[in-house]
Amino acid sequence: MHTQLTLLATQGSKRVRLMQAARAQLRLPPAQVLEWRDWLAQPALLEEALRQPGLLKIEPPGDDPAAHRLLLQAGCRLLERPPVAAPEHGELLAMDAWFAGFTSAMTALAAQLLELPHTRVFNAPSDISRMTDKLACQRHLAAHGVPIPALLGPVHGYEHLQALLHQHDLDRVYLKPRYGSSASGVVAYRRNRAGRQQATTSAALQHGGGAVRLFNVKRMARYETTADIVALVDALATQELYAEAWLNKPRCGDSHYDLRVVTMAGQPAHRVARIGQHMMTNLHLDNRRGDASGLLNAADLAALEETAALAARAFPASHVTGYDLVVRHGQAHVLEANAFGDLLPGLLWQGIDTYTAQLTHA
């Protein structure tokens, strides 16, 4: 008898299509899909979907604007804020309120699963929440002995950033939205002693009506005037922002790269180099894939595998997780953990893709 798989996901999304294709390839029946928007509106639908013993995989709600809006408004209520207008496509808006709604939903889901002991989850809701809070996640990894870039901690605005740089004697840092994803709003900031400064980011500033709005864009924006950089950092800080020390990425020709490693059941499996000419090498930003094994020497490869396994041990209740790493001179540092880091279409490890592999190892 085949184990039933249920996806809390968005019907028709790329993740669902890839999982269904993997199920078909393994001659398994299709997974049933419970839409995020439906579960948020009617939580009892989860108990109905999980009547039979089986597996539950939680996919991100971001594929559905209606689900995103529901979580955002729930977060505004929890934070006792007025509701915000639905964000336009790509707009970075009230990410802290969205996370409040999201983590509340994950807490409710965990409580439901306590009443369904016959259901196994790919990744525990508590782990998903922790990995979605990037600052909490990095602190968690560090507490488990995982090497990470040095953390400067929360950034409350441009003036606070300058004080932190002075305190730590640094001129280059990465600024990251605490609850962002896929490089949304990440800023590579640097300054020199002559007073020049530069912020390179996927967040485009839009001024209008006395307000500053931010939009995630694929083409990197570069800001060099103090006014623009102040507006950028202050706007991101209102949604919660933190800083970490700048790690140089290894070179590959005229580009540089970091690495995404997917762990399955605690062991490193799929891995790919993300190569680009900008500071952000995320693949959706038109960067290119590279063969990790062709770029790493034996010491670097050993560091990658050891550090990915160490990071996976920090999340023992998660079956499949993605980690972004910088590996140089036989040392690896984890830049980020991603509870939804398995979306790597066509990337094979031991002859199978990420979705077939997780079903095989489930």
Side-chain angles (χ1 to χ4, degrees), residues 83-339:
V84 295
E88 292 183 23
H89 180 70
E91 186 174 9
L92 304 178
L93 176 70
M95 288 184 278
D96 55 337
W98 174 87
F99 179 76
F102 177 73
T103 196
S104 174
M106 288 293 96
T107 300
L109 179 57
Q112 283 189 288
L113 290 171
L114 287 175
E115 304 299 319
L116 300 164
H118 55 270
T119 297
R120 290 188 295 135
V121 288
F122 271 81
N123 290 358
S126 58
D127 277 2
I128 293 173
S129 288
R130 178 170 274 150
M131 282 186 253
T132 306
D133 180 340
K134 289 185 179 180
L135 179 57
C137 180
Q138 290 299 86
R139 288 170 170 164
H140 177 77
L141 289 170
H144 284 77
V146 179
I148 63 166
L151 288 173
L152 280 67
V155 174
H156 304 307
Y158 176 82
E159 293 301 330
H160 185 226
L161 169 63
Q162 299 305 313
L164 284 171
L165 293 170
H166 177 74
Q167 177 188 338
H168 292 272
D169 194 25
L170 291 173
D171 289 318
R172 300 191 304 167
V173 290
Y174 274 90
L175 306 174
K176 296 185 175 182
R178 185 164 179 167
Y179 313 115
S181 64
S182 304
S184 296
V186 174
V187 179
Y189 174 87
R190 49 189 170 184
R191 64 180 190 180
N192 64 21
R193 295 200 174 131
R196 290 188 61 192
Q197 54 186 336
Q198 184 183 90
T200 304
T201 179
S202 61
L205 279 170
Q206 188 180 104
H207 299 273
V212 172
R213 297 171 73 187
L214 298 171
F215 288 85
N216 199 36
V217 293
K218 289 184 73 170
R219 185 183 295 276
M220 290 285 115
R222 180 177 293 171
Y223 298 103
E224 296 183 335
T225 70
T226 299
D228 278 343
I229 295 174
V230 169
L232 174 69
V233 174
D234 286 352
L236 288 167
T238 63
Q239 304 182 51
E240 294 205 41
L241 187 68
Y242 73 98
E244 67 181 27
W246 183 303
L247 279 187
N248 286 325
K249 295 180 180 179
R251 303 292 300 185
C252 174
D254 64 351
S255 301
H256 43 245
Y257 68 92
D258 60 14
L259 298 133
R260 163 64 60 89
V261 180
V262 179
T263 61
M264 306 263 179
Q267 295 303 310
H270 300 72
R271 69 280 311 264
V272 63
R274 310 185 304 176
I275 305 170
Q277 295 184 339
H278 297 291
M279 287 81 168
M280 273 62 96
T281 52
N282 301 64
L283 293 173
H284 76 286
L285 296 174
D286 291 336
N287 295 307
R288 67 186 191 274
R289 292 184 181 186
D291 177 15
S293 61
L295 291 168
L296 303 180
N297 60 31
D300 286 344
L301 188 59
L304 176 142
E305 297 203 341
E306 178 184 346
T307 303
L310 183 62
R313 286 201 290 276
F315 293 101
S318 290
H319 176 67
V320 53
T321 305
Y323 297 97
D324 297 337
L325 301 97
V326 166
V327 185
R328 299 178 77 230
H329 310 310
Q331 290 188 305
H333 292 81
V334 175
L335 302 176
E336 189 174 318
N338 188 332

Side-chain angles (χ1 to χ4, degrees), residues 36-38 40-41 65-75 77 101:
W36 261 96
R37 61 169 77 181
D38 294 338
L40 289 169
H68 182 92
R69 191 164 58 251
L70 287 167
L71 293 167
L72 180 59
Q73 301 306 350
R77 289 192 297 273

